[in-house]
Each structure stands twice: as C-alpha cells, then as structure tokens.
Amino acid sequence: MFRRAFWFTAGAAAGVWATTKVNRQLKKLTPESLAAQAADKAVEAGHRLKDFALDVRAGMTQREDELNDALGLHQDPDRPDNVTALPGPRRLRAIENDKTTRRPTFSYDRNEDH
C-alpha cells in the first residue's frame, strides 16, 4: 500500500513539474514574448554598436596624436580647432618653396579645340 502511494505521489509530482515546464515554454513562444525578446536584443545590439563606435573614435584620436607627434605637427593656439600648423622651420621652407615654384604663364581655352 505504501509503495502504491509513493509511486502515485512521485507520478503526480512529475506530472506537475512537466506541466509547469511546458507552460513556461509556451509562454515564451507567444507573439508578445517574442516581440519583447527581439526588442531587447535590438537594444543590446545598439549598445554594442555604440560602444564599438566610441572605441573606434578613441583609437582614431590616439593614432592621429601619434602621427602628429611623429611628423612634428602641433596645435597652434591662434588657429581654430581641428587645424594643425607646420612647425616653424618646416613652415618657412614650405613658404620659400612655394615662392620659387614656377607656374605656367599660358592659359588654355577649351573652346579653341572646337
């Protein structure tokens, strides 16, 4: 008699457990639940993309600073932001070379060919 009562109770408990698990899975598959899961994944992907973009921007800034240091470029306080100036000796050489550069004196009229 006790064996039958034990197995009856064990079977009932297993049935309740299985029913609960199945009902939870069915609730996860409702359209509202699926839409909420998709929205959560989209928000999570957006946050990851934002973090990636910020990391790329930080890396670009760091690399730009490294290149400016390697080339001897520095930020001129008299110039607006985002404009770098050549260092003194390089600037003078660039200006001197610009004066000595010969430019053609003739002009080309495209209408002469027709």
Side-chain angles (χ1 to χ4, degrees):
M1 170 109 161
F2 286 109
R3 266 174 75 183
R4 287 185 183 174
F6 170 77
W7 287 114
F8 177 77
T9 306
V16 169
W17 177 79
T19 303
T20 305
K21 288 290 256 183
V22 168
N23 284 335
R24 284 184 192 163
Q25 291 299 322
L26 287 175
K27 285 182 183 177
K28 285 183 182 178
L29 296 176
T30 61
E32 296 84 15
S33 178
L34 291 175
Q37 288 176 9
D40 290 342
K41 295 287 184 181
V43 169
E44 185 180 328
H47 288 302
R48 286 185 192 162
L49 187 61
K50 178 184 166 193
D51 291 341
F52 175 73
L54 291 174
D55 289 344
V56 168
R57 180 175 287 171
M60 286 173 36
T61 304
Q62 179 184 358
R63 183 63 179 148
E64 185 176 352
D65 292 341
E66 290 172 1
L67 290 173
N68 285 338
D69 290 342
L71 294 174
L73 300 175
H74 63 280
Q75 195 72 15
D76 191 357
D78 297 334
R79 292 178 182 254
D81 294 342
N82 300 333
V83 178
T84 56
L86 289 171
R90 281 186 169 174
R91 186 180 312 152
L92 291 176
R93 266 188 267 135
I95 292 172
E96 290 171 1
N97 289 339
D98 188 67
K99 290 179 183 176
T100 59
T101 305
R102 295 185 183 191
R103 295 191 173 94
T105 57
F106 65 89
S107 65
Y108 178 72
D109 187 7
R110 294 179 67 185
N111 292 328
E112 291 178 3
D113 290 343
H114 299 289

